[in-house]
Amino acid sequence: MIMNHYFSNRILKILFVTTVLFEGTVSVSAQSYQPQGLYKLKEIVHQDGKHMEAGYQQYKYYKDDTTLEFTYYSSELEESFNFIVSYPEVQPLQMTSTSDSTFTLRWFNDKNTQDERLFPSQTTIEEKYEMVKDSTNAIQQVLNLLEMKMDKSHRLQGAWKMRGRQSMNNANSQYWIVPNGPETYQIFGNGASVTIVNSGGFPRAKMQGYYSPCTYLDESAIKWDGRTGILNWFDGETASLTLIGASGQPMVTVWDRCGLPQHIQELFGTRCPQTTKDLSSYYTEGFLKKYGNQPDSIRMAYETFDYAVNANEKNNAIFPVLMRNGYEEEYKEMKESLLSRLMNGEMDVDEAVGRYMFWFYKDFDRHTNCSSRTFSQLRSEALVNYKALIAHYAPEPVGCKVDKDTYLLRLPSSQGNLPTWDWMLNKVEEFKQSGCQYLILDLRGNGGGSDAFGEMFAKMMCDCSSLNDHQSFYMNSTENNKQLKKYCKAFHLSFMDKVLAEAESTEEGSLIHWMSTPKGSGGFTPMVRKGAIIIDNYSASAGESPVSFVRTYSKSHAKVYGRDRSMGCEMSGNCNNIRLPNSNIVLTYPMTVDAEFEEACKDRNPGFKPDVMIPLPYPEQLTDNIDSWVLWVAKRMKK
């Protein structure tokens, strides 16, 4: 049997013919003719002149000084078939040519054989071969695949190595993998596929294979060997394949993109890299060796935590920046300590994941967070507790005059519901008609949303073109690209289409260009004499972008006021979410990061610092009122 039971039953039903197979290379100097290319066995002739049909399909492929032999059992070329690849055996033989397209191989059978009818012992036997001219021949397609000749129009195309079977048949999990046994490789090409089972002894041992047509239905579904297979992409280099077995039950195998074994690549002249992934955490045997038998609760906790780590490392745009800025050892120690405490029963998975994500949140980026109970507790301790400092902290939308020449726009959210876009547009017109020369944009409590809300009023305070270069980068990953495709469909922005196109042709894990603002670009004429932005520790993301905006486009017209730094989401954006297995915990992380984060992360103090510190105590009330801070800022602006 050449295949494992996860593949089509058809593979198990086709029998191999045992033939006299040759090993080694045929010496050119000992021959009168050296063919090149692919030839098919037409007939066998005995020394008494008897002509025999082989009853099986045999091809020889000659390339330079190497000869390969393909054998499979079939009277007709079938859509799918098994085959054997081997080197010819060293024998006293003679090769003669009768034309450019045919040759005869003459050899003496001095060995016992299982088929005296075809190969009688102690006789001379001639095998007559004819060149295969039809490039669509199935064996030629096998050769094309082994030589990796294909147009890569589908992400599945290329060579893959089976990691093993997912023991619980969960297509969304790459954990609890049972090894396959013999190395099994799959090459997906243009309308066809080849499975190779490498016994490890090739070329001394035969290399067994299976050819089958393959149709790509979409990115996540294929028609393979007469059945529909469902793909689940963990990333661009790993996918699960689900097929329905003979019992009617799903069978899930996990595959990693990988070059064929080195000796096979050398034989066929290919250079495809081997996988460099550390797969140890995914195998059942690896878990048992390290942790022994554990209850299901510990096994599931291990999977949940390890999944969180992998998801964050692969998808979070700030991760590679932190690793190249000196935090790799600290991060590794933190991660390993949490895993050790989790496996020793010192903490549950909610705490392990929460503390893991809080390491990023506390000192670097507040877009990186999760929904665990532990994280929520740690988060509340890291932020200013305005509920305890301000008797009524519930900022509401306000657009009104503070005095005869100062206008206040309080924007507690940029989500589009509190306030709405129409409300904002009305307030813009109201401000323009007010005759006010001073503008206060109050962003206290604004947790984010769309940058357009706050920037609508921030632009009125700006007085120049861009004061510096600004760039942001996108973390290329399978998970992020799923979300980016949704953005492209929803917003129809050409730059996003370009980013997606580059992502699909760039190695995963790389940061690729997202957007840029060159120094000196743009330019604004101020609509006010002075502008002010008030922030607090709850001003986040789109609630911070107006601060970044005026610091880019205003030399003297705008200042930022407050007592606390903003939350610290200002240098990342375009968040994505991932739900962890075996739990209700959701990770949130940014897909994009600003170039400025490269230096800012070294301070370990996220958030914008106010230009002007407000010396007053916190106001007693912050709702839809004009509070003491607004009055102080309005007075300070006119000095």
Side-chain angles (χ1 to χ4, degrees), residues 358-419:
F358 188 70
W359 184 85
F360 296 89
Y361 180 92
K362 180 176 180 292
D363 291 341
F364 303 112
D365 172 68
R366 302 290 168 81
H367 269 144
T368 301
N369 57 74
C370 72
S371 63
S372 83
R373 298 185 306 276
T374 300
F375 181 88
S376 297
Q377 180 180 350
L378 293 170
R379 178 182 183 275
S380 65
E381 295 171 359
L383 298 177
V384 177
N385 184 3
Y386 292 119
K387 297 289 185 181
L389 297 170
I390 300 174
H392 192 186
Y393 182 86
E396 296 181 20
V398 175
C400 68
K401 282 186 173 183
V402 177
D403 53 42
K404 64 184 179 67
D405 52 8
T406 306
Y407 191 89
L408 167 68
L409 189 286
R410 177 170 293 147
L411 184 59
S413 171
S414 297
Q415 295 285 351
N417 55 350
L418 190 70

Side-chain angles (χ1 to χ4, degrees), residues 132-147:
V132 174
K133 297 180 180 180
D134 183 2
S135 62
T136 63
N137 178 275
I139 293 296
Q140 182 63 58
Q141 292 187 53
V142 170
L143 287 171
N144 289 342
L145 289 172
L146 291 172
E147 294 174 356

Side-chain angles (χ1 to χ4, degrees), residues 321 324-325 469-473 515 571-572 592-601:
V321 183
R324 66 173 176 249
N325 275 284
D469 290 324
H470 171 77
Q471 292 189 79
S472 55
F473 300 91
M515 292 184 71
M571 294 186 185
S572 65
T592 59
V593 62
D594 293 349
E596 292 86 347
F597 184 75
E598 192 86 30
E599 288 299 319
C601 70

Side-chain angles (χ1 to χ4, degrees), residues 479-481 483 487 574-578 587-591:
E479 195 66 37
N480 291 348
N481 291 346
Q483 186 66 21
Y487 284 177
N574 299 291
C575 289
N576 200 6
N577 300 312
I578 294 179
L587 303 188
T588 300
Y589 64 89
M591 300 189 298

Side-chain angles (χ1 to χ4, degrees), residues 449-466:
S450 170
D451 290 344
F453 277 79
E455 289 178 3
M456 188 184 303
F457 275 80
K459 290 176 181 178
M460 300 176 184
M461 311 175 188
C462 293
D463 56 22
C464 63
S465 58
S466 178

Side-chain angles (χ1 to χ4, degrees), residues 408-534:
L408 167 68
L409 189 286
R410 177 170 293 147
L411 184 59
S413 171
S414 297
Q415 295 285 351
N417 55 350
L418 190 70
T420 64
W421 185 254
D422 288 341
W423 184 92
M424 288 289 294
L425 293 177
N426 289 334
K427 291 302 176 182
V428 168
E429 292 304 315
E430 181 178 291
F431 166 72
K432 289 178 179 179
Q433 298 298 322
S434 70
C436 291
Q437 292 297 305
Y438 299 91
L439 173 62
I440 299 174
L441 176 59
D442 189 349
L443 297 171
R444 284 175 288 176
N446 187 315
S450 170
D451 290 344
F453 277 79
E455 289 178 3
M456 188 184 303
F457 275 80
K459 290 176 181 178
M460 300 176 184
M461 311 175 188
C462 293
D463 56 22
C464 63
S465 58
S466 178
L467 295 169
N468 47 58
D469 290 324
H470 171 77
Q471 292 189 79
S472 55
F473 300 91
Y474 169 79
M475 180 66 158
N476 182 21
S477 73
T478 293
E479 195 66 37
N480 291 348
N481 291 346
K482 291 178 185 177
Q483 186 66 21
L484 181 55
K485 287 178 182 177
K486 295 178 183 178
Y487 284 177
C488 291
K489 187 177 293 186
F491 302 121
H492 304 289
L493 297 175
S494 59
F495 90 89
M496 287 188 179
D497 293 332
K498 291 179 180 178
V499 172
L500 181 59
E502 184 177 354
E504 290 177 340
S505 61
T506 305
E507 183 179 358
E508 287 205 45
S510 57
L511 290 172
I512 60 180
H513 181 261
W514 176 256
M515 292 184 71
S516 63
T517 303
K519 183 177 180 179
S521 63
F524 296 91
T525 300
M527 296 178 62
V528 296
R529 184 174 298 171
K530 292 290 181 181
I533 297 177
I534 304 177

